[in-house]
Amino acid sequence: MVAFSTLSGLSALSLLFSLVQKVHGVSLEVSTEGGNSSSPLLYGFMFEDINYSNDGGIYGQLLQNNGLQGSSPNLTAWASVGDATISVDAENPLTSAIPHSLRLDVPEGTTGQVGFTNEGYWGIPVDGSTFQSYFWIKGDFSNNVTIRLVGTNSGTEYASTSVEVSSNADEFTYITTSFPTTKAPDGDVLYELTVDGELVAGRSLNFGLLQLFPETYKSRYNGLKPQLANALESIKGSFLRFPGGNNLEGDTEETRWKWNETIGPVEDRPGHQGTWTYYNTDGLGLMEYFYWCEDLNLTPVLGVWAGFALESGGNTPFTGDALQPYIDDTLNELEFILGDSSTTYGSLRATYGHEEPFDVTLVEIGNEDNLGGGCESYAERFTAFYDAIHAAYPDLILIASTDNASCLPSTLPEGAWLDFHDYNTADGLVSEFNLFDNKDRSVPYFIGEYSRWEIEWPSIKNSVAEAVYMIGLERNSDVVKMAAYAPLLQLVNSTQWTPDLIPFTQNPTNMIIETVSYYVQQMFSVNRGDTIKEVTSDSAFGPVYWVASSAGDNYYVKLANYGSETQDVVVSIPGLSSGKLTVLADNDPEASNTDTQTLVTPSEKDVTGEDGSFSFTLPAWSVAVLAAN
Ligand code: AHR
């Protein structure tokens, strides 16, 4: 009131207008009849080794540089203990795949414990579970080896065990040990292995491929870090696309992800130089990906190398006869996955512990072949792979790595799907709300990667934009079969790409950072119907967006408010009376959850529907799900 007298006529009018405008709201009538079927796979995960998401991340092995691998192996993460020195030894290779070992030289006259430490991947999360350590030792030694987990600065001991060893100088002897741990307050922990120096004085010992595991997810041997697997479990995704992404393609043909070098005993896996700056051990390899899918109930989406690597000026793309060996290699990979144990590669799989074929139905040919010089040859490469795979496995669904028509065959083979990647601005994602409304329904889509990008942490505005985009996808989930936020995981200490869905640290207590986008994915994935229902409204889409679905008697209405005004919402679903409303919101569009703050978390409340009518308020910058029955 007071302010009016000081305003110009025009300003007063516009203030009045804006006050009137504050009465916002939408009324939605959800049909209980008919509807379009929704893809049961719609929400899932895309995974590759980026941001130490695999080694140092979801792969349970905790020691960094444990095989001294790479083109210039060095002592990264290792340090000596006591009066001894350590070095990378090429004279005593563990195997042809792990061509180096860690040499411990102990001077004459040494007394006391000597050995080495490993600092893990920016720390070691000691979570109080029973740990396992495996290593090989070469050199005459018959006594105890002591393994401890100790605070880097505090010196506090979180585990200590002695394992009796009897080794010789002719060959490596394999040692395994399991021991209890006490939970550490943070990730600042070293793995320490020592021996009595007096027993080795004037001599050396060699150690090969040292490994350390916590109790893994579902107690799998060579399995997953439980905290990260649990975070994925809480989203209830439906599929896992692996192993990339750029990391499938490799910077060069030589450094592509080679399936046959990621299987079998870990000491026979050479690893490879990844595309995201660091060496990949491939300890989490092809079979571990399938175990991951089995343990988390995920449908595998297998990416296969399609004759193109990232390096510009390199010798790819391969076409014509040069492509054939890679097609054959893919057929061998598929036989390893799908063949019974009477086949060459199926029997190899059986010897590695999985008698039954794995369950794969979806195979993607390449990655982003529209980019970096891959487009021109992709029609030929896709067709060659498609024809060979389809002839051998006609039931497999084959996915092209782009929807760019200029990179695809003029006639797409029947049944092929298209992968479309969408890294975008917030406004860009919102503007694509109706991207799929008028697509040809006969060609299914996979949104293999999407998110707001080029920011560090997703803020509520960015995550609401993703929700608007996802509402657009879900409304079209007769044709959009699957969609995955990417990238999935990020070790905050060494990051190559932001934002990511689930950043993490090595702190065993607060390992997971639940980003605002994580909550959006979770809210959308856990509240899924099988049928998209028609919704009628007098309001147009924007700033409020919605989609409704049902599964039997359960209804789900997802809403996003991409605006700074509160919205009153009335949802009518005839015959329904009770529901739960989950809301994720913040008035500040920049509010985010990071490694130092948690500002945005969902709230839940029960709501009742008077005569099937649910009334509630949608805050500014919010995502909401009404689950009613
Ligand atoms: O998700 C990060 C990268 O983005 C993927 O490796 C690649 O497919 C895309 O360009």
Side-chain angles (χ1 to χ4, degrees):
M1 271 303 256
V2 178
F4 271 17
S5 57
T6 62
L7 292 171
S8 69
L10 195 60
S11 304
L13 260 181
S14 53
L15 178 59
L16 189 60
F17 184 68
S18 75
L19 286 173
V20 171
Q21 285 294 296
K22 278 188 191 290
V23 184
H24 296 286
V26 294
S27 257
L28 310 176
E29 180 96 21
V30 178
S31 169
T32 52
E33 306 293 324
N36 289 337
S37 62
S38 171
S39 167
L41 294 179
L42 186 58
Y43 299 116
F45 307 119
M46 182 291 183
F47 182 81
E48 67 176 326
D49 203 338
I50 181 173
N51 306 319
Y52 286 89
S53 55
N54 182 335
D55 289 323
I58 198 163
Y59 179 38
Q61 201 291 113
L62 303 175
L63 303 183
Q64 189 181 174
N65 192 23
N66 65 328
L68 305 166
Q69 290 164 289
S71 55
S72 327
N74 57 35
L75 290 173
T76 296
W78 297 100
S80 60
V81 171
D83 188 14
T85 55
I86 55 172
S87 56
V88 178
D89 188 350
E91 302 296 312
N92 287 284
L94 176 64
T95 59
S96 57
I98 309 283
H100 300 98
S101 59
L102 184 69
R103 179 177 162 133
L104 177 72
D105 283 301
V106 186
E108 293 279 4
T110 296
T111 56
Q113 291 296 110
V114 294
F116 45 79
T117 58
N118 184 288
E119 63 192 36
Y121 291 91
W122 292 269
I124 295 177
V126 182
D127 60 5
S129 66
T130 299
F131 273 44
Q132 316 277 335
S133 186
Y134 317 124
F135 60 92
W136 279 260
I137 179 169
K138 187 176 176 185
D140 286 323
F141 184 77
S142 290
N143 202 267
N144 287 337
V145 164
T146 301
I147 292 174
R148 299 195 312 143
L149 299 175
V150 287
T152 310
N153 299 312
S154 65
T156 308
E157 199 171 80
Y158 302 111
S160 178
T161 189
S162 281
V163 53
E164 205 178 312
V165 166
S166 179
S167 62
N168 61 66
D170 299 330
E171 59 184 2
F172 277 97
T173 302
Y174 185 50
I175 306 295
T176 70
T177 179
S178 135
F179 50 92
T181 67
T182 307
K183 188 172 181 178
D186 53 40
D188 289 333
V189 174
L190 294 172
Y191 170 92
E192 181 192 84
L193 185 152
T194 58
V195 295
D196 181 347
E198 210 169 326
L199 301 174
V200 203
R203 298 193 294 118
S204 63
L205 293 173
N206 280 77
F207 293 84
L209 198 65
L210 296 101
Q211 297 178 273
L212 178 71
F213 285 89
E215 173 86 42
T216 57
Y217 183 68
K218 303 214 166 159
S219 302
R220 272 229 183 253
Y221 169 73
N222 199 34
L224 304 180
K225 195 182 276 174
Q227 296 87 348
L228 287 172
N230 286 333
L232 299 189
E233 188 185 276
S234 72
I235 292 177
K236 293 202 173 110
S238 295
F239 66 87
L240 178 69
R241 174 180 171 228
F242 60 88
N246 290 358
N247 218 23
L248 165 72
E249 297 175 85
D251 284 330
T252 64
E253 179 269 341
E254 180 49 34
T255 58
R256 73 193 191 279
W257 189 86
K258 297 178 192 152
W259 72 274
N260 56 320
E261 295 187 356
T262 74
I263 57 174
V266 284
E267 64 272 23
D268 294 333
R269 304 184 194 181
H272 73 283
Q273 177 59 47
T275 50
W276 296 105
T277 72
Y278 56 94
Y279 202 80
N280 298 173
T281 68
D282 293 327
L284 193 169
L286 183 63
M287 288 185 69
E288 287 78 18
Y289 278 118
F290 280 101
Y291 290 133
W292 174 351
C293 290
E294 287 182 359
D295 289 347
L296 276 135
N297 198 20
L298 299 166
T299 295
V301 183
L302 173 73
V304 298
W305 198 72
F308 180 63
L310 295 166
E311 184 187 55
S312 69
N315 62 343
T316 67
F318 294 139
T319 53
D321 290 347
L323 195 58
Q324 194 57 46
Y326 301 97
I327 295 171
D328 295 343
D329 186 56
T330 292
L331 293 175
N332 293 343
E333 179 180 5
L334 291 172
E335 186 179 287
F336 181 85
I337 295 163
L338 290 168
D340 65 35
S341 43
S342 70
T343 62
T344 307
Y345 289 100
S347 100
L348 183 63
R349 182 201 62 240
T351 65
Y352 291 158
H354 205 276
E355 179 75 28
E356 289 301 310
F358 289 112
D359 186 20
V360 73
T361 52
L362 294 152
V363 174
E364 179 158 0
I365 298 169
N367 176 61
E368 291 186 343
D369 284 272
N370 50 314
L371 299 180
C375 177
E376 207 173 282
S377 59
Y378 189 60
E380 178 191 336
R381 291 184 290 115
F382 172 75
T383 304
F385 273 89
Y386 182 96
D387 287 349
I389 298 173
H390 185 68
Y393 303 98
D395 293 337
L396 284 183
I397 292 169
L398 301 178
I399 307 171
S401 75
T402 175
D403 75 331
N404 184 333
S406 64
C407 315
L408 291 167
S410 49
T411 308
L412 205 62
E414 211 186 311
W417 294 13
L418 301 177
D419 184 354
F420 170 64
H421 293 179
D422 205 346
Y423 293 105
N424 216 321
T425 60
D427 285 352
L429 288 169
V430 172
S431 74
E432 291 182 342
F433 166 71
N434 55 7
L435 189 63
F436 292 92
D437 285 3
N438 298 310
K439 286 272 189 219
D440 169 7
R441 299 338 249 185
S442 70
V443 183
Y445 262 82
F446 173 27
I447 315 304
E449 301 176 27
Y450 72 90
S451 65
R452 165 68 163 113
W453 77 319
E454 288 185 325
I455 52 168
E456 195 176 357
W457 302 95
S459 70
I460 183 73
K461 178 179 173 181
N462 295 309
S463 304
V464 174
E466 287 161 3
V468 172
Y469 185 75
M470 292 164 76
I471 287 172
L473 301 182
E474 191 168 319
R475 277 164 43 81
N476 287 283
S477 57
D478 55 329
V479 70
V480 177
K481 300 295 185 187
M482 305 186 294
Y485 182 108
L488 181 61
L489 301 177
Q490 170 206 2
L491 177 61
V492 294
N493 308 82
S494 183
T495 295
Q496 293 81 48
W497 179 299
T498 61
D500 301 277
L501 194 65
I502 306 176
F504 60 93
T505 68
Q506 304 295 20
N507 182 331
T509 304
N510 299 312
M511 185 178 286
I512 305 301
I513 297 158
E514 283 146 346
T515 61
V516 190
S517 294
Y518 161 88
Y519 285 122
V520 170
Q521 292 293 321
Q522 186 184 50
M523 286 165 66
F524 274 45
S525 181
V526 302
N527 293 294
R528 275 194 258 179
D530 52 30
T531 306
I532 303 302
K533 307 304 270 193
E534 188 182 353
V535 180
T536 44
S537 176
D538 288 341
S539 306
F541 288 117
V544 179
Y545 298 82
W546 58 83
V547 62
S549 64
S550 69
D553 293 337
N554 297 312
Y555 279 70
Y556 305 97
V557 182
K558 293 172 180 158
L559 300 120
N561 179 7
Y562 188 67
S564 55
E565 305 291 348
T566 297
Q567 302 283 341
D568 292 328
V569 177
V570 180
V571 176
S572 301
I573 316 175
L576 269 59
S577 55
S578 67
K580 188 182 72 179
L581 183 70
T582 308
V583 178
L584 186 70
D586 203 293
N587 276 329
D588 176 2
E590 299 311 320
S592 62
N593 300 338
T594 71
D595 51 349
T596 56
Q597 64 180 29
T598 302
L599 298 178
V600 192
T601 55
S603 63
E604 261 181 33
K605 66 174 185 187
D606 291 332
V607 284
T608 40
E610 299 284 326
D611 296 330
S613 182
F614 298 84
S615 301
F616 52 90
T617 298
L618 209 51
W621 304 113
S622 64
V623 178
V625 179
L626 171 68
N629 55 32

